[in-house]
Amino acid sequence: MERNLSLAQSATTDAPIVLDSLRAFAQSSSAFLGLSDDNRYFTTPRVPGLVIYRPFGKRYWVQFTGPCAAAGRQAELEQQFAAAAHRAHRRVIAVQLPRTDAERVAETGWVVNQFGCSYSIDLSDFTLRGQKFVKTRNMITRSRREGTTVSEADADRLRDPEFSGQLDAIDAEWLRDKGRHVKEMRFLIGQRGGPMQQHRRLFVAEQDGRVVAYVSYSPVFGAQPGWLYDLTRRRPDAPPGVIEHIFAEAAERLRGDGAAWMHLGLTPFVGLEPRHAIEGAHSRMLGRTAELIRDRGAALYPATRQLAFKQKWRPHLETPEYIAFPNRIRLRDIWCLARITNAL
């Protein structure tokens, strides 16, 4: 008998089940982001593991990353999830699929396109020395010169209402500063707070006793374990270089604690190259649309700016990620994705 586990509805009982499955089976560096309040988790006693998804409207289940199951059993779990969706009269769309999962669903007739690329840093080889990092070092130096200090918020501080209020205020100012028409991205990013906060790490920059920026990191399991650079927020009047300052000090701290990798996460619509396409499954129309958003859609999604920030750290690994649709793409599918991510 299949179960739909909801972290929001039963955090104390379901959260350990979900987290244990991610620790055992997750390969995507973004998998932990699936532990958001509005997501659901499909399991079946037939296959250990789970599928993360989010219902949308009356017609869709939007799957997040590939199925988390033991090697060789992902397809079986995927089939059980598809059968459950069919019984519920739901159409499944999958986002942020790794290459292996994308190739597997392509073999069953799904339309599969590259969605973007994620970037990762091997912390054993991370350094800010050398000519290529001069500008980055200068920005960090400027932040320090203006009296900014960086520290990790411990559990006691995270429970402090005054501290939480400062973080909430930064969130509000950050979004307001983006412009009246800009909405905060959903589904493809993590969250701050909630029952999973104890598993994340939060670094803050402070100036004159006031928090001016923060960065949240989520754990990464699988073949390249470490941390995912997730939420980034700053006040409009924060010193230049403050995010670079947090990034550099957090990387050193996480490496010192034994982390092997720093993952920078997915940037949609970038790194779109023919060598990443899955032969026979690619939609030219969708590919062209993604390129147009990358080149001309900064108001919709700042892909170029995000990519520039990530590339300044000279990442060691570039990983394509995919989006998949059963049989063919429908206009309503695109509408669903735009709504569930809050792009529209």
Side-chain angles (χ1 to χ4, degrees):
M1 179 178 180
E2 290 82 8
R3 293 193 300 162
N4 289 336
L5 302 180
S6 169
L7 187 63
Q9 294 172 358
S10 184
T12 56
T13 57
D14 291 346
I17 298 172
V18 175
L19 191 56
D20 286 348
S21 289
L22 294 187
R23 286 190 174 120
F25 305 123
Q27 292 300 319
S28 169
S29 61
S30 296
F32 189 88
L33 303 186
L35 294 171
S36 295
D37 291 343
D38 294 328
N39 290 346
R40 301 291 182 265
Y41 311 93
F42 172 85
T43 67
T44 172
R46 298 181 181 89
V47 186
L50 57 83
V51 176
I52 303 168
Y53 71 99
R54 181 174 295 189
F56 178 79
K58 297 180 179 180
R59 301 189 181 188
Y60 286 95
W61 284 354
V62 182
Q63 178 184 329
F64 181 68
T65 77
C68 296
R73 304 203 66 184
Q74 295 98 333
E76 186 180 354
L77 180 57
E78 204 163 56
Q79 291 165 4
Q80 295 295 324
F81 177 62
H86 179 74
R87 289 192 297 272
H89 305 288
R90 298 292 186 120
R91 178 172 169 84
V92 175
I93 298 173
V95 298
Q96 283 200 240
L97 292 181
R99 175 86 188 198
T100 53
D101 294 310
E103 290 176 336
R104 186 177 59 253
V105 299
E107 291 175 356
T108 66
W110 284 44
V111 176
V112 181
N113 270 56
Q114 187 186 354
F115 189 38
C117 278
S118 61
Y119 300 85
S120 305
I121 295 171
D122 180 350
L123 287 177
S124 68
D125 197 31
F126 176 69
T127 179
L128 291 181
R129 296 191 298 271
Q131 185 66 27
K132 60 187 179 182
F133 286 111
V134 168
K135 291 183 178 179
T136 303
R137 291 198 305 270
N138 288 342
M139 294 186 73
I140 296 170
T141 298
R142 180 172 178 180
S143 175
R144 288 173 174 156
R145 190 167 56 240
E146 296 199 22
T148 307
T149 59
V150 173
S151 64
E152 183 175 5
D154 60 20
D156 288 339
R157 196 169 192 198
L158 289 170
R159 287 191 294 265
D160 179 9
E162 191 277 332
F163 179 73
S164 296
Q166 288 196 60
L167 300 184
D168 291 341
I170 290 175
D171 291 344
E173 290 186 36
W174 175 86
L175 187 59
R176 188 164 53 245
D177 188 57
K178 294 291 182 180
R180 58 180 296 187
H181 299 295
V182 175
K183 298 180 180 180
E184 186 171 16
M185 184 67 73
R186 295 176 185 166
F187 189 52
L188 303 181
I189 64 171
Q191 64 183 49
R192 179 173 56 82
M196 289 291 100
Q197 185 58 46
Q198 62 179 315
H199 300 287
R200 304 184 189 100
R201 299 180 72 165
L202 186 82
F203 289 81
V204 298
E206 296 174 89
Q207 187 181 50
D208 299 326
R210 183 182 70 142
V211 179
V212 295
Y214 74 82
V215 177
S216 175
Y217 295 83
S218 296
V220 175
F221 313 109
Q224 282 131 4
W227 294 90
L228 173 70
Y229 176 89
D230 184 18
L231 297 181
T232 305
R233 301 288 185 266
R234 67 190 296 275
R235 294 184 185 274
D237 60 349
V242 68
I243 298 301
E244 288 82 358
H245 190 178
I246 296 175
F247 187 103
E249 296 211 16
E252 291 296 340
R253 174 70 178 270
L254 297 174
R255 176 167 60 183
D257 290 343
W261 288 85
M262 170 80 78
H263 299 276
L264 307 183
L266 170 73
T267 301
F269 315 121
V270 303
L272 306 176
E273 300 183 17
R275 64 189 175 94
H276 294 321
I278 296 178
E279 187 176 356
H282 178 78
S283 164
R284 293 182 61 185
M285 179 274 294
L286 188 59
R288 181 56 181 157
T289 300
E291 291 173 353
L292 286 172
I293 294 174
R294 177 197 62 197
D295 297 337
R296 304 180 184 179
L300 181 63
Y301 190 82
T304 303
R305 188 168 71 246
Q306 280 203 8
L307 178 62
F309 178 83
K310 293 176 182 181
Q311 288 184 330
K312 79 163 57 178
W313 304 102
R314 303 299 195 273
H316 303 98
L317 185 65
E318 175 185 299
T319 306
E321 298 192 12
Y322 297 84
I323 186 168
F325 307 84
N327 304 319
R328 62 185 179 87
I329 302 172
R330 303 173 181 173
L331 184 60
R332 187 178 290 273
D333 297 341
I334 306 301
W335 171 255
C336 167
L337 288 173
R339 294 293 295 163
I340 204 168
T341 59
N342 206 35
L344 294 177

